[in-house]
């Protein structure tokens, strides 16, 4: 994906409204990546810098180019004219709140999102534990079947089939 990403960045270099960039989340960009919610690599984000969204499309040059060409200004307080009536009303409501209230609401919503992530991780950890236990049980059960004579039974069966005789 990196070569296609670099080609895309070159194609959009100097673009008036679209920035194609990359950040090394394992080095100097680690704090930024944590702040914007990068959880795996590679991750593609797009949109308003204060509210980046996860890109879920194709990762080849054609898909990335098509998506990037469709990007542009979006509904936001800075581009209110691009908003529908519902979003305009929501922006007006949020604007009328005090900074302290907005901070409080942001913290609450981020805490809710962190809980969803935590609950999901707990669920996945439980699945992983169940999978590991089931896999170990399966391996033991198959070994017990083999030890109980399955291999010898197959050998006898093949011998009788081959020789046509059940005598030794």
């Amino acid at each position: 994906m990196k070569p296609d990403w670099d080609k895309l960045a070159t194609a959009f270099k100097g673009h008036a409204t679209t920035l194609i960039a990359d950040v090394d989340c394992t080095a100097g960009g680690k704090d930024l990546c944590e702040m914007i919610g990068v959880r795996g690599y590679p991750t593609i984000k797009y949109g308003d810098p204060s509210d980046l969204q996860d890109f879920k499309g194709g990762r080849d040059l054609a898909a990335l180019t098509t998506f990037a060409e469709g990007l542009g200004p979006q509904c936001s307080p800075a581009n209110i004219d691009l908003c529908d009536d519902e979003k305009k009303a929501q922006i007006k409501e949020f604007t009328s709140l005090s900074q302290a209230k907005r901070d409080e609401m942001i913290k609450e919503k981020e805490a809710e999102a962190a809980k969803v992530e935590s609950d999901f991780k707990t669920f996945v950890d439980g699945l992983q534990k169940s999978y590991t236990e089931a896999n170990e049980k399966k391996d033991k059960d198959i070994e017990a079947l083999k030890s109980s004579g399955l291999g010898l039974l197959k050998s006898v069966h093949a011998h009788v089939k081959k020789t046509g005789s059940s005598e030794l």
Side-chain angles (χ1 to χ4, degrees):
M1 187 183 117
K2 178 74 168 133
D4 285 344
W5 186 258
D6 291 341
K7 289 175 189 170
L8 185 71
T10 299
F12 279 83
K13 187 174 185 167
H15 193 277
T17 60
T18 304
L19 170 67
I20 307 294
D22 52 53
V23 176
D24 183 350
C25 293
T26 63
K30 192 171 184 176
D31 290 342
L32 174 63
C33 292
E34 287 177 8
M35 182 180 76
I36 62 174
V38 172
R39 288 171 183 63
Y41 312 111
T43 296
I44 299 175
K45 299 272 190 176
Y46 70 95
D48 185 316
S50 61
D51 184 31
L52 292 172
Q53 303 299 310
D54 290 326
F55 174 72
K56 304 216 187 295
R59 302 296 176 104
D60 60 80
L61 183 58
L64 292 168
T65 300
T66 299
F67 182 77
E69 287 170 343
L71 290 175
Q74 299 178 350
C75 169
S76 70
N79 295 302
I80 196 90
D81 55 313
L82 299 176
C83 302
D84 61 27
D85 290 341
E86 183 180 337
K87 291 292 183 190
K88 286 177 182 176
Q90 199 172 26
I91 289 170
K92 184 177 179 181
E93 174 190 344
F94 292 156
T95 303
S96 70
L97 299 172
S98 69
Q99 173 136 4
K101 182 63 178 173
R102 285 192 304 269
D103 285 340
E104 176 187 330
M105 290 174 69
I106 289 168
K107 285 179 185 165
E108 286 174 5
K109 295 294 184 188
E110 287 177 342
E112 287 176 30
K115 180 164 182 357
V116 168
E117 287 286 344
S118 174
D119 290 350
F120 179 74
K121 183 182 180 327
T122 299
F123 174 75
V124 169
D125 289 348
L127 283 177
Q128 184 62 45
K129 183 178 181 207
S130 294
Y131 170 82
T132 299
E133 290 169 355
N135 196 42
E136 288 171 357
K137 181 184 181 315
K138 173 202 62 131
D139 289 346
K140 285 178 186 174
D141 291 350
I142 287 176
E143 188 56 41
L145 282 169
K146 288 179 180 178
S147 297
S148 72
L150 176 61
L152 191 55
L153 177 60
K154 285 181 175 181
S155 181
V156 168
H157 182 67
H159 176 74
V160 169
K161 192 174 180 181
K162 180 180 176 184
T163 64
S165 171
S166 59
E167 295 197 24
L168 299 174

